[in-house]
């Protein structure tokens, strides 16, 4: 099949979804009110609650939820063939992710900007809230470790991308100061910042001394490094320390000072990057060489497809961003359709081009099958296949291969960094909520909660791999990430189901995707926990078994608690005016 035709079908469905389905949700289900006083205005504090233009907020929201996941998941899932991945990305975005992201944003706005973890208390009770917060805490910890792992490795693999990414930080701070202190406009300065970044990328791709290559500085891959760790492990350690210092600062600054302007720059990166890739696709007109479906022996697509592709179809982390940061910045309630639903569509567009970049990269179907010989091989090579495949598409616009590769790696790193510091900020919120819950006021202090979040993330990602290096921690709990993430999405849909039922509105729009997602995820988790990681399983792993069994049990407990809440009906103490 022709790649242009496949992309056209996907984009057309996304347009229809936003034009009609999101309008139906906004008018008939959520009944958005342009005069409703949002939490951004009601609790404005200049730090977390900041009324924000919808275009700027869309940039923050999209780049916070995007990260590397909508690229990595689809790039791995084409292991089962491009058709299953394509269908889940397109239909999952329109009917599951769009509703989930939009719904959690509106739910939070209508409840004082509270997170879905806190709202679990109001909708399913105190016990459900604590169990839910535990699942969320585990998830954001894994997000922090995995995305730090990804960024550090990309810095090592693509040293020409380091300087352009670093330049973005002072540029974003300058933009934030100009806009919020001098009442300037953000569009032109952010475009200038993007031009500076990409100009630096072009120069750094060709000028050797502008490439910050820590491995080379320590004598190459065979170098001794620090304390005999080896050059690669030392470089990884240095980058992780740098990232942890950065996210500590970024997650405690007011959102206008770094978070919003940097995310607005990254939203332009999305537009430019997607234009380059889709225009390159149009000009190069590549053929799809990967198979439509791929017979495999090691793992089945059912149910693993639905947890391998999370971001790009539906992701529980999106609900944390919608209810954790975006709801606190929404200028007016009717902006929620654009920020929430269009944010999900933007991620679907990115996931779609990830699929196309990979399935057109290989010269033959046999070459694809050789690279994707097993699920483990697909997991290990998926991100690299995307970077090379996307660079190949960009070459269709006559962009030199080295520059195209640098630009693609910059986009991936920028999105991953955005997700990382947003996730650390969310983890700080959760730790503070737990401090309030258990009467531990020290945990409610910003720098204490942030220190715990950063220290635990660093400890996980720096768990040694083998006797002489760092690096396994980023992926140590990764097999639990997909299932935990999708369980979180399913529980968020469950909360929306209860809320809509209490409001007397059509709750089937939440109930149907919730049942599907919970079933597939619990099915996948049961397979992994009890048939792979248990001591009697095919691949015993005590740590994964213990964590997985706890999350599985807690989820069952939450489902039973929620079923009771649905059966009882409206909570007489619930304030519908919020």
């Amino acid at each position: 099949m022709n790649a242009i035709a496949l992309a056209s079908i996907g984009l057309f469905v996304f347009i229809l979804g936003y034009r009609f389905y999101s309008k139906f949700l906004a008018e008939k289900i959520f009944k958005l009110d342009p005069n409703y006083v949002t939490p951004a205005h009601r609790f404005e504090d200049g730090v977390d609650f900041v009324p924000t233009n919808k275009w700027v907020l869309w940039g923050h929201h999209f780049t916070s939820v995007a990260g590397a996941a909508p690229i990595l998941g689809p790039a791995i899932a084409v292991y089962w063939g491009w058709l299953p991945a394509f269908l889940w990305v397109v239909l999952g975005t329109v009917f599951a992710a769009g509703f989930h992201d939009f719904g959690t944003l509106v739910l939070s706005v209508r409840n004082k900007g509270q997170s879905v973890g806190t709202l679990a208390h109001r909708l399913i009770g105190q016990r459900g809230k604590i169990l839910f917060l535990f699942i969320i805490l585990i998830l954001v910890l894994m997000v922090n470790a995995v995305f730090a792992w990804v960024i550090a490795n990309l810095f090592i693999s693509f040293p020409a991308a380091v300087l352009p990414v670093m330049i973005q930080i002072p540029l974003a701070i300058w933009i934030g100061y100009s806009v919020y202190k001098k009442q300037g406009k953000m569009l032109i300065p952010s475009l200038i910042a993007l031009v500076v970044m990409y100009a630096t990328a072009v120069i750094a791709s060709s000028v050797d001394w502008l490439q910050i290559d820590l491995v080379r500085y320590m004598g190459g891959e065979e170098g001794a490094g620090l304390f005999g760790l080896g050059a690669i492990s030392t470089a990884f350690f240095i980058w992780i320390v740098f990232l942890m210092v950065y996210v500590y600062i970024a997650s405690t600054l007011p959102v206008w000072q770094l978070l919003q302007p940097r995310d607005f720059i990254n939203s332009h990166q999305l537009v430019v990057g997607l234009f380059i890739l889709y225009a390159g696709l149009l000009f190069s007109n590549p053929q799809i060489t990967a198979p439509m479906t791929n017979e495999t022996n090691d793992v089945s697509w059912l149910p693993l497809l639905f947890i391998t592709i999370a971001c790009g179809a539906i992701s529980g982390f999106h609900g944390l961003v919608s209810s954790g940061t975006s709801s606190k910045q929404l200028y007016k309630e009717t902006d929620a359709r654009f920020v929430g639903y269009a944010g999900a569509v933007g991620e679907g567009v990115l996931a779609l081009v990830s699929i196309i970049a990979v399935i057109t990269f290989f010269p033959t179907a046999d070459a694809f099958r050789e690279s994707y010989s097993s699920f483990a091989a697909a997991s290990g090579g998926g991100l690299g296949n995307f970077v090379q495949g996307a660079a190949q598409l960009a070459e269709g616009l006559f962009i030199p291969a080295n520059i195209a590769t640098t630009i693609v790696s910059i986009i991936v790193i920028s999105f991953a960094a955005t997700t990382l510091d947003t996730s650390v900020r969310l983890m700080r919120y959760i730790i503070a909520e737990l401090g309030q819950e258990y009467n531990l006021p020290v945990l409610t202090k910003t720098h204490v909660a942030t220190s715990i979040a950063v220290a635990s993330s660093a400890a996980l990602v720096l768990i040694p791999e083998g006797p002489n290096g760092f690096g396994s921690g980023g992926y140590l709990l990764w097999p639990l990430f997909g299932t935990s993430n999708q369980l979180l999405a399913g529980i968020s849909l469950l909360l929306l189901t209860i809320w809509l039922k209490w409001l007397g509105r059509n709750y089937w729009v939440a109930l149907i995707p919730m049942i599907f997602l919970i079933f597939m995820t619990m099915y996948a988790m049961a397979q992994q926990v009890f048939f792979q990681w248990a001591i009697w399983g095919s691949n015993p792993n005590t740590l994964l078994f213990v964590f997985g069994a706890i999350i599985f049990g807690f989820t069952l407990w939450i489902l039973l608690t929620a079923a009771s809440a649905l059966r009882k009906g409206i909570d007489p103490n619930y304030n519908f005016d919020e």
Side-chain angles (χ1 to χ4, degrees):
M1 185 176 183
N2 184 274
I4 294 178
L6 186 67
S8 299
I9 293 170
L11 293 174
F12 183 65
V13 174
F14 289 145
I15 292 171
L16 291 178
Y18 183 76
R19 173 64 181 83
F20 295 105
Y21 190 57
S22 72
K23 183 180 181 182
F24 163 75
L25 295 175
E27 296 178 355
K28 304 298 183 182
I29 304 299
F30 300 127
K31 299 182 180 180
L32 302 184
D33 180 3
N35 297 316
Y36 181 79
V37 180
T38 63
H41 292 285
R42 195 187 309 184
F43 308 114
E44 183 174 358
D45 61 6
V47 179
D48 294 318
F49 291 87
V50 179
T52 304
N53 175 276
K54 70 176 183 179
W55 292 95
V56 176
L57 182 55
W58 180 87
H60 155 71
H61 179 83
F62 172 77
T63 53
S64 294
V65 300
I71 293 170
L72 182 59
I76 295 172
V78 293
Y79 169 65
W80 293 292
W82 59 261
L83 182 60
F86 172 80
L87 290 175
W88 176 229
V89 163
V90 173
L91 298 179
T93 294
V94 171
F95 295 107
F99 173 80
H100 171 271
D101 297 12
F102 187 6
T104 50
L105 178 57
V106 175
L107 176 63
S108 178
V109 167
R110 285 284 177 168
N111 288 273
K112 300 181 180 179
Q114 295 174 327
S115 71
V116 287
T118 301
L119 291 172
H121 184 192
R122 305 191 73 187
L123 296 169
I124 60 177
Q126 176 69 7
R127 183 182 300 145
K129 170 189 173 182
I130 299 301
L131 298 174
F132 196 27
L133 284 177
F134 176 82
I135 293 176
I136 294 172
L137 195 63
I138 292 294
L139 175 64
V140 294
L141 178 60
M142 287 189 284
V143 168
N144 296 344
V146 170
F147 278 63
W149 186 94
V150 167
I151 296 168
N153 278 285
L154 287 173
F155 276 163
I156 293 171
S157 300
F158 303 101
V162 176
L163 185 59
V165 170
M166 298 296 183
I167 282 178
Q168 187 187 48
I169 298 172
L171 289 173
I173 293 174
W174 164 67
I175 292 171
Y177 177 79
S178 299
V179 171
Y180 288 95
K181 291 297 185 182
K182 296 187 176 182
Q183 302 301 310
K185 299 295 184 181
M186 189 176 289
L187 179 60
I188 299 302
S190 63
L191 291 175
I192 293 172
L194 187 64
V195 170
V196 172
M197 283 181 64
Y198 281 5
T200 306
V202 171
I203 297 171
S205 298
S206 305
V207 180
D208 190 63
W209 61 269
L210 287 177
Q211 300 178 14
I212 303 177
D213 189 346
L214 299 185
V215 175
R216 184 183 63 193
Y217 297 158
M218 287 177 282
E221 294 184 9
E222 302 302 322
L226 300 177
F227 310 110
L229 289 174
I232 295 177
S233 292
T234 301
F236 181 84
F237 175 79
I238 292 172
W239 283 128
I240 291 298
V241 171
F242 171 83
L243 287 169
M244 291 299 113
V245 172
Y246 162 74
V247 296
Y248 184 99
I249 297 171
S251 61
T252 54
L253 287 175
V255 291
W256 62 264
Q257 199 163 0
L258 175 60
L259 191 73
Q260 286 181 351
R262 187 212 48 215
D263 292 354
F264 198 51
I265 297 171
N266 286 340
S267 70
H268 299 324
Q269 281 209 77
L270 164 71
V271 174
V272 172
L274 289 178
F275 172 80
I276 289 173
L277 295 181
Y278 279 102
L281 171 67
L282 187 64
F283 279 95
S284 60
N285 191 23
Q287 293 299 308
I288 296 173
T289 54
M292 180 182 294
T293 58
N294 188 29
E295 295 294 330
T296 63
N297 296 320
D298 55 344
V299 290
S300 169
W301 71 274
L302 187 69
L304 291 183
L305 172 71
F306 303 102
I307 61 172
T308 301
I309 300 180
C311 299
I314 182 172
S315 164
F317 183 74
H318 294 194
L320 298 184
V321 175
S322 288
S323 64
T325 60
S326 299
S327 65
K328 297 175 177 62
Q329 302 171 58
L330 197 71
Y331 191 86
K332 59 182 179 178
E333 193 176 66
T334 48
D335 291 346
R337 177 189 175 196
F338 179 73
V339 174
Y341 198 98
V345 168
E347 183 140 302
V349 171
L350 181 57
L352 177 61
V353 83
S354 176
I355 292 173
I356 291 172
V358 174
I359 64 179
T360 59
F361 170 61
F362 297 93
T364 65
D366 288 339
F368 172 87
R369 290 190 178 94
E370 182 179 351
S371 178
Y372 283 77
S373 58
S374 67
F375 187 72
S379 300
L383 187 59
N385 289 333
F386 166 77
V387 172
Q388 296 178 73
Q392 184 172 279
L393 290 178
E395 289 177 47
L397 295 179
F398 306 103
I399 299 175
N402 63 328
I403 295 175
T405 301
T406 299
I407 290 175
V408 171
S409 60
I410 288 170
I411 293 172
V412 176
I413 293 169
S414 297
F415 287 170
T418 299
T419 303
L420 178 62
D421 61 46
T422 298
S423 181
V424 171
R425 185 180 288 263
L426 292 171
M427 193 171 179
R428 187 237 302 172
Y429 293 160
I430 296 165
I431 292 170
E433 285 186 41
L434 290 172
Q436 290 178 334
E437 190 66 41
Y438 291 105
N439 196 27
L440 297 171
V442 67
L443 295 181
T444 64
K445 298 183 181 301
T446 296
H447 290 286
V448 173
T450 306
S451 297
I452 294 172
V454 170
S456 57
S457 302
L460 179 56
V461 77
L462 289 174
I463 291 176
E465 179 178 28
N468 194 36
F470 295 103
S472 66
Y475 275 165
L476 186 64
L477 295 177
W478 177 249
L480 275 175
F481 173 80
T483 48
S484 301
N485 192 32
Q486 300 305 71
L487 284 176
L488 179 59
I491 296 169
S492 296
L493 289 172
L494 180 59
L495 297 179
L496 286 166
T497 301
I498 295 171
W499 183 58
L500 291 175
K501 187 170 187 259
W502 286 3
L503 292 174
R505 298 175 190 170
N506 179 1
Y507 58 86
W508 287 95
V509 290
L511 184 64
I512 292 174
M514 183 272 289
I515 292 173
F516 175 82
L517 194 62
I518 289 286
F519 173 78
M520 287 298 177
T521 308
M522 295 294 278
Y523 178 19
M525 197 167 199
Q527 282 188 338
Q528 291 176 317
V529 172
F530 301 111
F531 295 97
Q532 293 182 30
W533 301 329
I535 57 173
W536 57 83
S538 59
N539 187 24
N541 187 309
T542 302
L543 182 65
L544 291 178
F545 172 74
V546 170
F547 271 96
I550 291 173
I551 293 172
F552 188 87
F554 279 12
T555 302
L556 287 177
W557 200 343
I558 290 172
L559 292 176
L560 291 173
T561 305
S564 175
L566 273 172
R567 187 173 61 253
K568 290 178 181 177
I570 299 172
D571 181 350
N573 297 318
Y574 187 85
N575 185 355
F576 288 94
D577 294 327
E578 295 293 358

